[in-house]
Amino acid sequence: MSDQLIVVLGAIGLIVVVLAVTAIRWGRSRSVRALLHGIGLALIIGALWIVGFLDLVLAWVRATVRWVRQTPFDTVRLVGACIGGAGLLVLIIGSAMSPVSRAEARQRREKLRAAQTASSPAPVPGPANPGVGTSVEPAAKSATATATPPSDSDDAEIEEILRRRGIK
């Protein structure tokens, strides 16, 4: 079988698989987003075939098969395969986990803030003569320069606390 025929059949096969998965995803959700993703991926595969990139992919696959056949499978490669398998397993497990929702993230931030305020020591009064060797203004200016506008009620509350303490 010639390389060009393998590439054409591979491209057609990939396009059919992508369109089948797209049809299944669209059938389940009726989402235009899923439909556009699938059509876009199928068009990209077609473009890669037209440009000739899939010929390079075929050459890479053949070189990989040749390398696997000619390279002995010793202890070093076994360790590498085990590490790669563990990485793949961790990737699959991480992908299967549900992402953190906004509400959960907000609750975690609030717990972290509460723990930080509970564990932070009480403010220590400054030196008796604050004008000698210390400067409070640069710290206040840098805090003001890096502060961002509040995005929700939590940020507004924090900004009010900073204002009361003279930081902002």
Side-chain angles (χ1 to χ4, degrees):
M1 196 182 277
S2 71
D3 286 354
Q4 199 60 311
L5 183 61
I6 292 172
V7 169
V8 169
L9 292 176
I12 290 171
L14 280 173
I15 290 171
V16 168
V17 167
V18 165
L19 291 177
V21 169
T22 300
I24 291 169
R25 286 182 63 206
W26 184 76
R28 286 183 181 169
S29 66
R30 298 284 184 207
S31 170
V32 175
R33 179 180 180 201
L35 187 66
L36 291 177
H37 280 169
I39 292 171
L41 187 57
L43 289 174
I44 288 172
I45 293 169
L48 291 175
W49 170 66
I50 292 170
V51 169
F53 185 78
L54 293 183
D55 293 326
L56 294 174
V57 172
L58 178 64
W60 175 77
V61 168
R62 287 182 189 248
T64 303
V65 168
R66 190 177 320 111
W67 177 83
V68 167
R69 285 183 181 167
Q70 294 175 353
T71 305
F73 196 71
D74 57 357
T75 307
V76 173
R77 285 178 182 72
L78 178 63
V79 170
C82 289
I83 291 172
L88 183 64
L89 183 65
V90 169
L91 183 71
I92 290 170
I93 291 171
S95 297
M97 294 176 69
S98 62
V100 177
S101 69
R102 288 185 181 202
E104 289 173 327
R106 182 173 293 134
Q107 288 174 352
R108 289 180 184 180
R109 283 193 307 268
E110 288 172 1
K111 286 180 184 177
L112 181 65
R113 287 180 191 145
Q116 287 176 346
T117 56
S119 65
S120 64
V124 178
N129 193 355
V132 179
T134 61
S135 175
V136 179
E137 248 182 15
K141 285 183 182 177
S142 66
T144 305
T146 59
T148 58
S151 61
D152 60 5
S153 62
D154 293 337
D155 289 340
E157 181 180 337
I158 292 170
E159 192 168 294
E160 179 60 34
I161 292 169
L162 292 175
R163 221 180 277 122
R164 276 188 271 146
R165 295 194 178 185
I167 295 175
K168 189 168 184 182

